[in-house]
């Protein structure tokens, strides 16, 4: 009887886990958050609104006030250099009510940001968490390859559909550190890959006066650099998408990588590294 194969996707460096952060609105508090993230070598994606950069404004929510002024276009290349910029709607509008005009919200973001950063901007975070099938289709037509929701799963699953990418939790989740410990210290069933996705707004740290909580999180997860891939949203989406494009021979003995990425997997306890354009034989 043939031995049943369990084929497991691994992240770069043959890691089984990946972690990413996602922060919205491009507020001034991103400066302090990024300083912390850089210190602990944690990476993420920042979702900006191109038409309200440089805004000066305060906001009161549930009786608490915070400065929600935004960064300027000029500081983006340096401030976010170690991270990724993604779209959030040029004016932070709910695209579900815009019809096809919402396409301009996203294309304006891409056009403005791509003139500022050296890569193509292909990610999105849905303003107010609002989206539907029409919005997803519209974003794809605008060159967007992933979209983040605000629905916390408290799980570490790889999304089936990156246009409907649910995060693990918000940084104010009362169980965030317990989830982090579970993610970092425990393995999944059959060693399947896991992803921790944290999201929020950096102005909330001023509003809640809890900067110490995010530093505690960053310091803790930074201790697992050897086993957790610290990546941007886009890097994770690109890697998993490339992995899903692998082509297997009819008998499952050979695997062809048609992409430009180096990919890793584990089969029957053996790790395989498959370079771009390479075909490997499973032994």
């Amino acid at each position: 009887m043939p031995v049943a194969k369990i084929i497991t996707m691994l992240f770069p460096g043959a890691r089984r886990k990946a972690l990413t952060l996602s922060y919205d609105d491009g507020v001034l508090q991103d400066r302090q958050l990024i300083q912390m993230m850089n210190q602990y070598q944690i990476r993420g994606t920042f979702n900006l609104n191109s038409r309200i950069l440089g805004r000066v404004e305060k906001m009161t929510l549930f009786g608490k006030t915070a400065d929600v002024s935004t960064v300027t276009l000029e500081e983006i290349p340096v401030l976010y250099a170690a991270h990724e910029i993604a779209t959030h709607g040029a004016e932070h509008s709910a695209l579900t009510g815009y019809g096809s005009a919402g396409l301009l919200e996203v294309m304006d973001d891409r056009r403005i940001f791509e003139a500022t950063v050296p890569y193509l901007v292909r990610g999105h975070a849905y303003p107010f968490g609002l989206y539907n099938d029409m919005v997803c289709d519209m974003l794809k037509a605008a060159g967007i390859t992933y979209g983040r929701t605000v629905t916390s799963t408290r799980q570490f699953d790889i999304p089936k559909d990156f246009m409907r990418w649910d995060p693990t939790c918000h940084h104010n989740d009362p169980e965030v550190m317990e989830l982090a410990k579970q993610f970092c210290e425990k393995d999944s069933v059959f060693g399947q890959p896991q992803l921790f996705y944290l999201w929020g707004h950096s102005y909330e740290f001023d509003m809640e006066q809890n900067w110490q909580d995010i530093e505690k999180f960053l310091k803790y997860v930074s201790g697992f650099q050897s086993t957790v891939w610290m990546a941007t949203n886009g890097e994770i989406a690109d890697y998993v998408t490339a992995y899903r494009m692998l082509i297997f021979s009819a008998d499952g003995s050979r695997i062809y990588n048609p992409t430009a990425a180096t990919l890793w997997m584990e089969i029957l306890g053996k790790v395989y590294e498959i370079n771009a354009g390479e075909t490997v034989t499973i032994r």
Side-chain angles (χ1 to χ4, degrees):
M1 178 180 295
V3 177
K5 294 185 179 73
I6 296 178
I7 301 176
T8 303
M9 183 190 79
L10 301 176
F11 291 112
R15 296 177 176 91
R16 296 184 186 276
K17 301 177 183 181
L19 181 144
T20 192
L21 274 60
S22 179
Y23 278 81
D24 297 351
D25 299 350
V27 290
L28 298 182
Q29 292 87 346
D30 282 359
R31 298 167 180 166
Q32 184 172 347
L33 176 60
I34 287 172
Q35 184 178 25
M36 286 185 181
M37 291 173 66
N38 291 348
Q39 176 185 351
Y40 292 107
Q41 298 181 310
I42 308 299
R43 301 179 65 227
T45 296
F46 291 82
N47 311 291
L48 312 185
N49 314 98
S50 59
R51 293 184 197 155
I52 54 177
L53 294 173
R55 173 193 64 188
V56 177
E57 187 175 343
K58 290 188 177 181
M59 179 177 69
T60 300
L61 188 64
F62 304 121
K64 299 176 182 179
T65 301
D67 187 350
V68 292
S69 300
T70 56
V71 302
T72 64
L73 181 65
E74 291 73 23
E75 66 183 302
I76 286 174
V78 174
L79 178 61
Y80 299 103
H83 307 277
E84 177 194 23
I85 295 300
T87 69
H88 197 34
E91 293 181 343
H92 200 280
S93 302
L95 300 184
T96 49
Y98 258 49
S100 59
L103 190 65
L104 297 176
E105 281 265 317
V106 179
M107 290 305 291
D108 273 3
D109 275 352
R110 288 197 65 202
R111 178 179 53 80
I112 291 170
F113 297 145
E114 287 177 356
T116 306
V117 297
Y119 49 86
L120 301 185
V121 175
R122 296 175 296 118
H124 185 75
Y126 300 108
F128 313 106
L130 297 175
Y131 69 97
N132 53 29
D133 290 345
M134 181 203 73
V135 170
C136 291
D137 290 343
M138 182 173 60
L139 291 178
K140 289 179 183 177
I144 297 299
T145 57
Y146 72 84
R148 196 214 73 218
T149 77
V150 296
T151 302
S152 295
T153 65
R154 290 187 172 179
Q155 302 294 321
F156 314 125
D157 298 330
I158 310 297
K160 293 181 175 65
D161 181 357
F162 277 102
M163 293 304 300
R164 297 166 177 82
W165 193 349
D166 296 331
T168 301
C169 67
H170 187 278
H171 65 242
N172 281 338
D173 189 304
E175 296 183 16
V176 64
M177 287 306 301
E178 287 304 313
L179 287 167
K181 290 177 182 178
Q182 180 184 341
F183 170 76
C184 290
E185 298 179 20
K186 296 182 180 180
D187 291 329
S188 64
V189 176
F190 302 120
Q192 291 300 298
Q194 294 181 303
L195 167 65
F196 194 113
Y197 191 134
L198 189 75
W199 81 282
H201 307 83
S202 60
Y203 66 75
E204 293 167 324
F205 299 120
D206 278 356
M207 190 171 280
E208 300 296 330
Q209 298 184 2
N210 63 347
W211 280 100
Q212 71 281 358
D213 290 346
I214 189 62
E215 183 163 21
K216 179 180 178 182
F217 175 88
L218 296 173
K219 184 177 182 179
Y220 172 76
V221 297
S222 72
F224 296 86
Q225 297 277 354
S226 63
T227 56
V228 179
W229 182 34
M230 309 298 180
T232 67
N233 292 189
E235 287 171 335
I236 291 169
D238 284 348
Y239 184 86
V240 175
T241 299
Y243 181 87
R244 290 171 178 172
M245 294 174 67
L246 287 171
I247 299 171
F248 291 76
S249 64
D251 64 0
S253 66
R254 288 176 293 163
I255 308 170
Y256 169 57
N257 178 5
T259 77
T262 298
L263 304 171
W264 283 262
M265 65 171 59
E266 182 183 66
I267 304 175
L268 296 176
K270 182 176 179 179
V271 172
Y272 291 83
E273 179 180 348
I274 311 177
N275 297 315
E278 183 180 19
T279 297
V280 300
T281 299
I282 299 173
R283 301 185 188 280

